[in-house]
Amino acid sequence: MIVFVTGTDTGVGKTVATAALAVHFGPDVMVVKPAQTGADEPDVEVARRLAGCAVAQFSHLADPLAPDTAARLRNLAVPSVGEHAARIRELACHHDVVIVEGSGGALVRLDTAGGTLPDLATDLARDHEVRVHVVTRLGLGTLNHTALTVEALRARGLEPAGLLLGSAPDNPDLAERCNLTELPRLTGVPVLAALPDGAGTLKPTQFRTQAPTWFEPHTTTSGT
């Protein structure tokens, strides 16, 4: 199975959610980052540290921009979505689950030909079971951002498997309390997990112990 992790925006908690999914789907999981930009600690290293899983990064661009923009800025060649798909297919032959973390939001371009994460997922769905998870916020404004992301995925024939709340506060305000119900109601996509605020700062042993509990109140599909 190939699991895609995208977000409603950058900074919504995709990497920590990816690590939590790696624990959830374990033990034979590999996390893949097709295109990394900027970052002192690459996203795959965060996933490796927190979840203890195998990881692979296909390309890295120094500037903290969308991959397409970062490549064009420096006039650099980057792998195409088709090349990413070929490498992921090979990895899927050797692991029960491959988790692919996107860059920024769903329609961020991963290559200079305009390829996006939904394009990559659509390619791989031809011969693999594919699930797409959307990481989102709970705060004010999330209903619009999440609905747009879900709509964009459905327009490309991809039905999201679930929403992951990237940072659920201990003391939610009115909007956050309402949105926990409104997000699945308005999008028709279940909330599969709620990661607590600060989950990424946990020690790896704590993260791996606690991560399964973040799915328990929300899970509607089996992950193992």
Side-chain angles (χ1 to χ4, degrees):
M1 177 170 62
I2 302 173
V3 176
F4 285 85
V5 180
T6 190
T8 55
D9 198 354
T10 190
V12 295
K14 288 191 307 298
T15 300
V16 178
T18 296
L21 281 168
V23 175
H24 181 60
F25 284 115
D28 187 15
V29 174
M30 169 164 268
V31 168
V32 171
K33 184 80 173 184
Q36 174 73 59
T37 61
D40 294 331
E41 183 181 20
D43 293 346
V44 291
E45 293 305 321
V46 174
R48 189 206 306 267
R49 172 170 54 81
L50 292 175
C53 58
V55 301
Q57 178 179 288
F58 294 165
S59 66
H60 182 267
L61 297 153
D63 297 291
L65 303 166
D68 172 45
T69 306
R72 291 179 184 279
L73 178 67
R74 305 293 179 183
N75 195 30
L76 297 172
V78 291
S80 68
V81 161
E83 291 173 299
H84 291 324
R87 294 185 67 177
I88 293 168
R89 279 191 174 89
E90 177 62 24
L91 292 172
C93 293
H94 303 286
H95 297 276
D96 291 340
V97 179
V98 176
I99 302 176
V100 183
E101 182 190 349
S103 300
L107 298 188
V108 167
R109 295 183 174 189
L110 301 180
D111 63 24
T112 52
T116 63
L117 195 74
D119 294 325
L120 182 57
T122 300
D123 187 326
L124 289 163
R126 292 182 297 164
D127 48 15
H128 284 81
E129 178 188 354
V130 165
R131 298 184 190 178
V132 181
H133 293 72
V134 177
V135 183
T136 187
R137 299 183 175 92
L138 261 183
L140 193 64
T142 193
L143 298 181
N144 178 61
H145 295 156
T146 308
L148 287 171
T149 301
V150 168
E151 182 176 307
L153 292 170
R154 285 177 175 153
R156 289 156 178 80
L158 298 167
E159 178 61 31
L163 305 176
L164 307 176
L165 306 179
S167 182
D170 290 333
N171 298 300
D173 60 24
L174 177 61
E176 291 162 339
R177 292 196 303 273
C178 290
N179 287 342
L180 186 59
T181 300
E182 291 296 283
L183 280 167
R185 185 184 72 83
L186 291 178
T187 64
V189 181
V191 175
L192 297 186
L195 280 65
D197 188 24
T201 65
L202 293 171
K203 294 180 179 179
T205 52
Q206 294 175 311
F207 187 91
R208 296 168 203 175
T209 298
Q210 295 181 31
T213 69
W214 303 334
F215 292 81
E216 289 175 356
H218 307 282
T219 299
T220 57
T221 60
S222 174
T224 56

